[in-house]
Amino acid sequence: MQVLENGLSLREILPAEQQKFSDKDKAWIQQMVFGVLRQLPLLQFWMRQLLEKPLKGKNKVAEFVILLGIYQLAFSRVSTHAAVAETVSACQSLKVQSLKGLVNAVLRNFIRQDLATHTPDNAQIKSGLPNWLYKQVEQHYPEKLGVLVDAMHQQAPIWLRVNQRQITVQDYAKQLSEQQVEFSLSAEHAEAIILPRAGDITQLPGYQQGWFAVQDGAAQMAAALLDAQPNERILDACAAPGGKTCHILERQPNLQECIALDVDQSRLDRIAENLQRLQLNADLLCADAASPDKWWDGRQFDRILLDAPCSATGVIRRHPDIKWLRKAKDIDELVQLQSKIMDAMWPLLKPGGSMLYATCSILPKENHQQISAFLQRHKDASLGATTQHGDPPGRQILPGESQMDGFYYCMLLKSQ
Ligand SMILES: C[S@@+](CC[C@H](N)C(=O)[O-])C[C@H]1O[C@@H](n2cnc3c(N)ncnc32)[C@H](O)[C@@H]1O
């Protein structure tokens, strides 16, 4: 309800709520919340058939109770009896006792009418995506629509990035085998280990010692593409929570300087925590990348990573709240912010230097169209290796491709 009615993200609210419960219940809460947000259009479709009119005001909360009840009945292994009884009793703690009868009747009708077997003949509802985003995916990826929508609906595997400053992938894989943790290696990612099952990663070997970090395979490509060299000055312009900063430092310990910049102090604190656990060092700076005149000392960088704020449409399978928090009208604002930050960063790059532009978006406006417009505005910019032959420019990774999140990369070179 906090996500759907109040526009708050799970990142902001879920950990504090989960804190109040046992480990087992924490996992259950997560499963229920993620499940309802993933399946929302279908759950609402069923609910609308059972509820004569929408509930309003203080009774609204009961709609969310019903969604949770239907979700359990249709998608979980909880017994029918327990799902109904527990869901109805939640009305008590939520102070809508008077709706117990209604919630009970709705759930019993769901079972009696066997609605779980009635899926609508509507591709958008089945996709689990909001209408505007379904249309975008349909427009831009018509040939891959089915596979793509399916990948955005699935639960993502957990990718680990082994910290090569601490341990080799082979030795870490041995540790996992000894603890009977199921995993696979990735042919394309030198430092990656993929866990098919979700679990408490703090319980994996070497968490405290910083032997690994959690980072999707697509995000793990950034440091290799940036390819920082000894004695270079690197700027990570939108760095928090620091996944890519840490990887850059793990791959190249002999940098002259690495500045991790972010506009959000609380998120910058997360970089500090990650650096500390992984035993790495960077200079942290809380500042606006769109206004370097307020903080830049005039010394240019050899390489800049610009992992820009974006729609995050590529990581919906990991963060299903994004589907409902992001609105169609946000996209143009994000595109403007991205181009403003790119333009502001370009003078900070040395002639001959390179800037890696990245987003976790699958929308062309934020990605190759953004780059084409940038190349029009900046005559001293050209496409770098790994992306220069591409038409359209850059590399678009789609969710599910080699088990990765959706991501976009494009390397820009500044002429001498
Ligand atoms: C996609 S996230 C970066 C993820 C990060 N690179 C990583 O790998 O962990 C984008 C970040 O940009 C930051 N941001 C947004 N607008 C910014 C601005 N104007 N200047 C600097 N950082 C900004 C956000 O606070 C957010 O942390």
Side-chain angles (χ1 to χ4, degrees):
M1 187 170 185
Q2 297 229 50
V3 172
L4 297 170
E5 290 286 300
N6 304 335
L8 296 170
S9 72
L10 288 181
R11 186 172 47 77
E12 290 169 291
I13 52 175
L14 197 56
E17 287 300 322
Q18 285 177 304
Q19 242 9 275
K20 303 171 193 163
F21 297 91
S22 69
D23 283 350
K24 195 163 153 245
D25 284 345
K26 274 181 198 156
W28 174 248
I29 292 167
Q30 176 133 344
Q31 197 184 327
M32 290 299 104
V33 169
F34 275 58
V36 170
L37 292 172
R38 270 203 183 100
Q39 301 290 354
L40 190 65
L42 186 56
L43 300 173
Q44 284 175 328
F45 168 81
W46 284 328
M47 181 171 73
R48 275 186 219 112
Q49 294 177 57
L50 298 164
L51 208 54
E52 263 171 34
K53 44 183 185 200
L55 299 172
K56 297 216 172 87
K58 93 176 208 349
N59 290 342
K60 183 82 183 170
V61 69
E63 280 197 0
F64 294 89
V65 173
I66 290 171
L67 292 174
L68 272 166
I70 297 179
Y71 177 77
Q72 289 175 68
L73 292 171
F75 295 105
S76 82
R77 279 181 295 184
V78 180
S79 76
T80 305
H81 171 76
V84 175
E86 290 296 321
T87 306
V88 170
S89 81
C91 293
Q92 190 92 27
S93 27
L94 292 164
K95 302 195 172 47
V96 282
Q97 291 95 320
S98 60
L99 298 179
K100 271 176 146 181
L102 175 82
V103 172
N104 189 43
V106 165
L107 297 184
R108 295 213 171 274
N109 281 335
F110 181 80
I111 300 163
R112 198 168 44 75
Q113 295 175 28
D114 200 16
L115 279 189
T117 60
H118 293 206
T119 34
D121 193 19
N122 176 313
Q124 178 258 319
I125 293 181
K126 283 194 276 195
S127 77
L129 295 173
N131 202 24
W132 74 268
L133 185 53
Y134 181 80
K135 286 203 172 120
Q136 286 280 313
V137 178
E138 191 178 35
Q139 181 191 341
H140 297 299
Y141 303 101
E143 280 134 39
K144 299 177 185 156
L145 183 64
V147 182
L148 188 48
V149 157
D150 196 41
M152 292 168 86
H153 208 36
Q154 302 299 324
Q155 208 174 321
I158 296 189
W159 285 74
L160 305 182
R161 184 191 77 235
V162 177
N163 180 356
Q164 57 189 292
R165 297 286 121 229
Q166 302 286 335
I167 188 167
T168 65
V169 175
Q170 289 69 25
D171 286 346
Y172 192 64
K174 218 184 282 170
Q175 294 267 350
L176 290 178
S177 298
E178 280 167 14
Q179 303 231 349
Q180 271 133 36
V181 178
E182 210 183 311
F183 68 90
S184 60
L185 300 173
S186 159
E188 296 158 68
H189 299 78
E191 293 105 26
I193 287 189
I194 307 168
L195 309 181
R197 260 174 261 290
D200 183 356
I201 57 112
T202 63
Q203 298 305 314
L204 292 174
Y207 174 78
Q208 294 297 344
Q209 298 97 307
W211 286 357
F212 69 89
V214 173
Q215 187 180 43
D216 186 82
Q220 289 191 35
M221 291 168 68
L225 287 170
L226 191 70
D227 196 25
Q229 299 297 313
N231 293 317
E232 287 187 339
R233 296 188 69 236
I234 306 292
L235 173 64
D236 188 350
C238 292
K244 299 184 189 71
T245 315
C246 292
H247 196 194
I248 292 166
L249 294 163
E250 286 165 15
R251 280 180 58 99
Q252 184 46 266
N254 298 317
L255 294 173
Q256 193 189 120
E257 191 176 19
C258 178
I259 298 181
L261 181 132
D262 205 279
V263 75
D264 182 333
Q265 182 60 55
S266 65
R267 285 175 64 78
L268 205 66
D269 294 343
R270 299 270 315 283
I271 310 185
E273 288 163 21
N274 286 326
L275 286 167
Q276 193 181 21
R277 188 178 66 83
L278 297 170
Q279 302 178 39
L280 301 164
N281 274 308
D283 296 322
L284 304 188
L285 185 59
C286 186
D288 183 355
S291 305
D293 46 308
K294 301 210 174 82
W295 54 267
W296 184 47
D297 64 5
R299 289 186 302 147
Q300 288 174 314
F301 295 91
D302 297 282
R303 292 169 208 254
I304 296 176
L305 170 61
L306 176 46
D307 188 14
C310 73
S311 63
T313 40
V315 295
I316 275 174
R317 61 182 196 150
R318 279 186 201 288
H319 306 284
D321 51 336
I322 289 169
K323 294 196 278 195
W324 314 112
L325 296 172
R326 195 61 78 210
K327 307 288 180 211
K329 66 173 171 46
D330 299 342
I331 305 303
D332 284 342
E333 278 171 32
L334 282 164
V335 169
Q336 273 182 23
L337 175 63
Q338 290 152 359
S339 68
K340 195 171 161 202
I341 297 179
M342 283 176 94
D343 287 350
M345 286 295 96
W346 195 242
L348 275 60
L349 193 62
K350 281 183 189 168
S354 48
M355 179 159 94
L356 181 64
Y357 176 75
T359 73
C360 55
S361 166
I362 57 167
L363 303 177
K365 267 191 177 180
E366 299 177 271
N367 297 343
H368 71 81
Q369 291 175 11
Q370 181 72 273
I371 293 296
S372 298
F374 183 85
L375 292 170
Q376 286 292 322
R377 290 196 302 277
H378 298 269
K379 293 301 167 203
D380 58 347
S382 61
L383 293 175
T386 74
T387 55
Q388 65 191 353
H389 302 300
D391 179 22
R395 171 155 182 207
Q396 179 69 65
I397 300 159
L398 294 176
E401 194 179 313
S402 303
Q403 302 195 56
M404 292 186 282
D405 284 342
F407 239 85
Y408 175 80
Y409 285 110
C410 190
M411 183 66 95
L412 295 161
L413 304 180
K414 192 170 185 174
S415 56
Q416 290 285 351

